């Protein structure tokens, strides 16, 4: 089902499609994080990425719960947006020899991922409320809150020394 597919006729259809999109994205992010973790040299960055990978497991579990509560199959649909963001992250961090610059690139790439997730979860939370699904909205809001927190931690790492070391 494409975004402008004839299969999407109602707000409910759109909601389920976007759930499937973020479900794919979370599973893809979960699989890609070990590569970023292995490249990171800053101990706090490495720890933050490891922590976020564990949080991502929780995001996937909450999404599965939302699917169940909403009476929809927990199914992923290809998400070209997250595939592109992750491909760009791999390109950005691919051949960087300077470890401080590499850490800055990893943070930039991770924040691009977080911002995508924040956009999706914000929309899904609003739609769930509009559809009268406060139960689903509460779970989606938990994921949104964790994505905002992860983005904030990445900003603190960047501004707290990683960017300065990269610029030296």
């Amino acid at each position: 089902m494409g975004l402008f597919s004839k299969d999407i006729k109602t707000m409910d259809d759109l909601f389920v499609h976007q759930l499937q999109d973020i479900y794919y994205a979370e599973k893809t992010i979960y699989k890609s994080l070990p590569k970023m973790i292995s490249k990171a040299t800053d101990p706090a960055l490495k720890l933050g990425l490891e922590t976020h990978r564990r949080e991502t497991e929780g995001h996937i579990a909450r999404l599965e719960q939302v699917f169940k509560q909403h009476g929809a199959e927990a199914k992923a649909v290809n998400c070209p947006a997250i595939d592109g963001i992750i491909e760009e992250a791999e390109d950005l961090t691919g051949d960087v020899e300077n470890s401080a610059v590499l850490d800055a690139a990893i943070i930039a790439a991770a924040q691009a991922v977080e911002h995508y997730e924040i956009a999706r979860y914000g929309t899904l939370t609003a739609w769930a409320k509009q559809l009268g699904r406060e139960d689903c909205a509460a779970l989606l809001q938990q994921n949104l809150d964790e994505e905002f927190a992860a983005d904030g931690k990445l900003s603190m790492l960047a501004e707290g020394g990683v960017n300065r070391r990269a610029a030296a």
Side-chain angles (χ1 to χ4, degrees), residues 9-21:
K9 294 181 172 69
T10 66
M11 175 63 92
D12 190 76
D13 295 340
L14 187 59
F15 177 73
V16 170
H17 178 76
Q18 290 300 289
L19 276 177
Q20 293 168 337
D21 175 281

Side-chain angles (χ1 to χ4, degrees), residues 68-105:
K68 185 176 182 180
Q69 287 175 342
H70 198 66
E73 177 187 356
K75 177 178 108 174
V77 295
N78 285 349
C79 174
I82 202 65
D83 289 339
I85 291 168
I86 289 172
E87 182 181 334
E88 181 180 26
E90 290 171 357
D91 289 347
L92 187 63
T93 62
D95 295 323
V96 179
E97 291 182 22
N98 180 308
S99 62
V101 173
L102 177 60
D103 285 339

Side-chain angles (χ1 to χ4, degrees), residues 12-136:
D12 190 76
D13 295 340
L14 187 59
F15 177 73
V16 170
H17 178 76
Q18 290 300 289
L19 276 177
Q20 293 168 337
D21 175 281
I22 194 68
Y23 188 56
Y24 173 92
E26 290 286 15
K27 288 179 145 201
T28 302
I29 292 161
Y30 183 79
K31 290 178 199 164
S32 72
L33 275 168
K35 191 182 286 188
M36 285 182 111
I37 292 165
S38 71
K39 287 182 177 186
T41 63
D42 182 272
L45 175 57
K46 192 175 280 282
L47 179 63
L49 293 171
E50 289 167 348
T51 299
H52 195 61
R53 186 162 193 259
R54 287 188 298 277
E55 287 176 348
T56 301
E57 288 178 322
H59 298 167
I60 292 167
R62 280 191 207 110
L63 286 170
E64 289 169 349
Q65 193 173 349
V66 170
F67 279 115
K68 185 176 182 180
Q69 287 175 342
H70 198 66
E73 177 187 356
K75 177 178 108 174
V77 295
N78 285 349
C79 174
I82 202 65
D83 289 339
I85 291 168
I86 289 172
E87 182 181 334
E88 181 180 26
E90 290 171 357
D91 289 347
L92 187 63
T93 62
D95 295 323
V96 179
E97 291 182 22
N98 180 308
S99 62
V101 173
L102 177 60
D103 285 339
I106 289 169
I107 290 172
Q111 285 191 296
V113 170
E114 293 308 316
H115 294 175
Y116 176 79
E117 291 175 298
I118 288 166
R120 283 291 183 248
Y121 282 121
T123 297
L124 282 165
T125 301
W127 288 351
K129 289 176 183 177
Q130 192 63 45
L131 291 167
R133 298 308 312 253
E134 292 295 330
D135 55 342
C136 296

Side-chain angles (χ1 to χ4, degrees), residues 59 121 138-151:
H59 298 167
Y121 282 121
L139 293 167
L140 293 164
Q141 184 67 51
Q142 288 177 23
N143 284 7
L144 178 60
D145 292 345
E146 288 180 3
E147 300 298 2
F148 270 120
D151 182 56

